[in-house]
């Protein structure tokens, strides 16, 4: 029984860790994208006022 649980965890555990890492990396990228998009919107608004 213990061996079965250990085998199941090692089979499922690695993909869970990889998924968590990728989601964390993706979230950081999305945060940077959101910041840059906000800066672009501010620049466009400044440009419109001219």
């Amino acid at each position: 029984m213990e061996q079965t649980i250990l085998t199941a965890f090692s089979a499922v555990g690695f993909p869970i860790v990889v998924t968590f890492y990728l989601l964390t990396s993706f979230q950081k990228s999305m945060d940077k994208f959101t910041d840059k998009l906000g800066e672009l919107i501010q620049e466009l608004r400044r440009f419109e006022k001219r």
Side-chain angles (χ1 to χ4, degrees):
M1 172 89 176
E2 188 175 292
Q3 184 65 28
T4 305
I5 294 172
L6 183 60
T7 304
F9 179 75
S10 34
V12 176
F14 179 73
I16 289 174
V17 170
V18 170
T19 301
F20 180 75
Y21 172 75
L22 291 174
L23 287 174
T24 304
S25 298
F26 182 71
Q27 181 62 41
K28 289 177 186 176
S29 297
M30 288 303 296
D31 289 342
K32 287 180 185 179
F33 175 73
T34 303
D35 291 342
K36 293 298 179 183
L37 188 58
E39 290 175 17
L40 178 61
I41 290 170
Q42 287 177 353
E43 288 295 321
L44 288 173
R45 286 183 180 154
R46 244 180 32 180
F47 183 73
E48 282 180 348
K49 291 180 182 178
R50 291 183 184 179

